[in-house]
Amino acid sequence: MPRVRKQNETMSIARLAKHLGLSEGTVSRALNNYPDIAAKTVARVRKAADELGYRPSTTARRLARGVVETIGFVLPARDGHQIDPFLAEILDGLATELALSDWDLLVSAVPDGHDEVEVMDRLIRSGKVGGFVVARTKRHDPRIDFLRTSHIPFVAQGRTENCEDYAWLDIDNEKAFVDAVNYLVGLGHRKIAFLGGDPELNYAWQRRAGYLAAVRANGCDLPSGYLHDGITNELAARDAISEILKHPDRPTALLCVTDAVAIGAMHALAHAGIDVGSEMSVIGFDGLPMGEAIHPGLTTMSQASYQIGREVGRIVVSQANEPASEFSQILWEASLTVRGSANPPVTKLAENAKGGIS
């Protein structure tokens, strides 16, 4: 009868090897799936490890495999250090996926006077990370250029303009904004303004391109003053709304680069006495939970932020464990979530009501 291990007695490879009558090297190689160990021996070792509660030392496992099982995530530098709710969702999914693989997540901020590349370089040279996830990619991104030559696994949440030679997962941003404009046009809107983000960010540029392509394809009005770039926070959204409301041909609908910008715009409209959802329709992008909590609920192009985090975590761990000759490059689509902030324009409702009476 096998000896019962006391609760406070640590089960090591040495104890496991003694229990099985095998060498420590054989047990270690069996646990790490080395091909020179017979399948029958591997099965026997793993069965005993499970029964005796053996858990490999993270440090020892990492040394044995030569892999640092920690993924780095350097927070993109942002003016004013605003919290990005989209990145919070990504990090939640990423941390969950890494934990399921017994990997760690190291989140690092950029000190004043430094940039993301400097932080990445320091983490690599210190041996603290075995890979990176990069978010909020720019059209021409120095972080991607650096990682291309660093010989360390990485995956981008998003793309750059030249994205053929690295792993990424992105949303079809251009199509999403074509779909959003088409939806507003279907409701009867012809005057659709746009609050865009930083054009250096690839997702913002793609969403802008989708908006422009769709309004032109639908023959919608696009006078000067309908398109505002560089709207990255609620304060900027408020200033843009102030300009839009002064426009001699005021738009009836507003398409926003993110949910955070859309919610800022809705607050500004409400403060100006504009009834969101009737006098001005608003659509955002992200599908963040806070969009459902406000009134009226925010109509949005939803992306599965948490699931994106999970998927990029899976990709980067897979790359670190088994470097691939081909990179995972995945394009997902956003889906329209309809709530109360987008409706037919007041003039269209009046026409429908008049037609109904007659």
Side-chain angles (χ1 to χ4, degrees):
M1 178 180 293
R3 180 173 64 88
V4 177
R5 184 167 58 93
K6 296 178 181 178
Q7 189 171 4
N8 63 351
E9 185 180 348
T10 301
M11 177 53 64
S12 64
I13 280 188
R15 291 180 181 277
L16 187 58
K18 185 177 181 180
H19 171 80
L20 291 166
L22 299 171
S23 71
E24 293 181 30
T26 297
V27 170
S28 176
R29 295 175 75 80
L31 290 170
N32 285 286
N33 243 358
Y34 278 75
D36 60 335
I37 304 300
K40 185 176 180 180
T41 301
V42 171
R44 180 181 168 220
V45 170
R46 290 189 171 181
K47 182 173 184 293
D50 289 340
E51 290 175 348
L52 298 174
Y54 169 75
R55 292 285 295 171
S57 160
T58 300
T59 302
R61 184 181 69 233
R62 291 172 178 175
L63 289 172
R65 297 179 62 239
V67 174
V68 181
E69 294 177 337
T70 299
I71 296 301
F73 188 102
V74 179
L75 292 171
R78 292 170 61 85
D79 293 337
H81 304 287
Q82 300 98 340
I83 295 173
D84 188 328
F86 171 75
L87 285 186
E89 292 268 315
I90 293 286
L91 284 170
D92 188 14
L94 175 59
T96 298
E97 185 64 33
L98 294 180
L100 291 174
S101 300
D102 287 331
W103 280 60
D104 299 321
L105 175 64
L106 191 160
V107 179
S108 185
V110 179
D112 290 339
H114 297 262
D115 61 28
E116 292 100 319
V117 170
E118 290 178 288
V119 175
M120 288 177 168
D121 186 44
R122 174 176 58 81
L123 292 175
I124 292 172
R125 286 187 289 104
S126 66
K128 291 181 178 179
V129 296
F132 281 99
V133 169
V134 180
R136 294 302 198 202
T137 49
K138 297 179 179 180
R139 295 164 65 198
H140 307 284
D141 201 311
R143 299 170 299 172
I144 301 295
D145 293 338
F146 169 72
L147 290 171
R148 278 184 170 118
T149 61
S150 68
H151 307 294
I152 191 169
F154 74 97
V155 59
Q157 179 277 305
R159 290 170 284 170
T160 54
E161 285 192 345
N162 178 13
C163 60
E164 292 82 13
D165 60 345
Y166 62 88
W168 51 261
L169 187 154
D170 200 5
I171 300 296
D172 194 338
N173 293 291
E174 188 167 345
K175 180 181 183 300
F177 273 63
V178 169
D179 291 345
V181 170
N182 288 343
Y183 177 73
L184 288 169
V185 169
L187 292 176
H189 294 279
R190 309 296 298 177
K191 302 174 182 179
I192 305 168
F194 177 70
L195 298 189
D198 179 355
E200 289 190 3
L201 294 171
N202 203 44
Y203 77 87
W205 182 257
Q206 291 171 331
R207 294 173 194 180
R208 184 185 196 273
Y211 162 77
L212 289 172
V215 295
R216 288 166 179 159
N218 284 287
C220 296
D221 298 332
L222 189 56
S224 174
Y226 269 30
L227 191 156
H228 293 256
D229 287 319
I231 312 302
T232 58
N233 55 48
E234 187 166 341
L235 183 62
R238 185 187 69 185
D239 292 341
I241 291 299
S242 177
E243 293 301 313
I244 286 172
L245 294 180
K246 294 175 186 175
H247 201 285
D249 193 15
R250 181 187 293 181
T252 62
L254 185 64
L255 187 55
C256 299
V257 67
T258 64
D259 282 354
V261 168
I263 291 170
M266 290 172 67
H267 289 159
L269 288 168
H271 184 73
I274 304 298
D275 189 5
V276 175
S278 57
E279 293 180 273
M280 183 81 74
S281 287
V282 178
I283 294 182
F285 186 104
D286 277 331
L288 299 176
M290 63 183 180
E292 190 173 6
I294 63 173
H295 181 77
L298 176 62
T299 296
T300 182
M301 298 302 298
S302 297
Q303 58 178 331
S305 308
Y306 175 81
Q307 293 302 327
I308 290 172
R310 292 287 303 269
E311 185 66 12
V312 295
R314 183 195 65 76
I315 293 170
V316 74
V317 169
S318 176
Q319 279 195 187
N321 284 330
E322 299 178 21
S325 57
E326 295 184 2
F327 299 104
S328 294
Q329 297 180 337
I330 303 171
L331 189 64
W332 287 355
E333 289 192 8
S335 59
L336 179 68
T337 299
V338 177
R339 301 194 183 106
S341 70
N343 294 289
V346 174
T347 53
K348 189 71 174 179
L349 290 171
E351 290 172 6
N352 291 342
K354 184 177 178 180
I357 293 173
S358 61

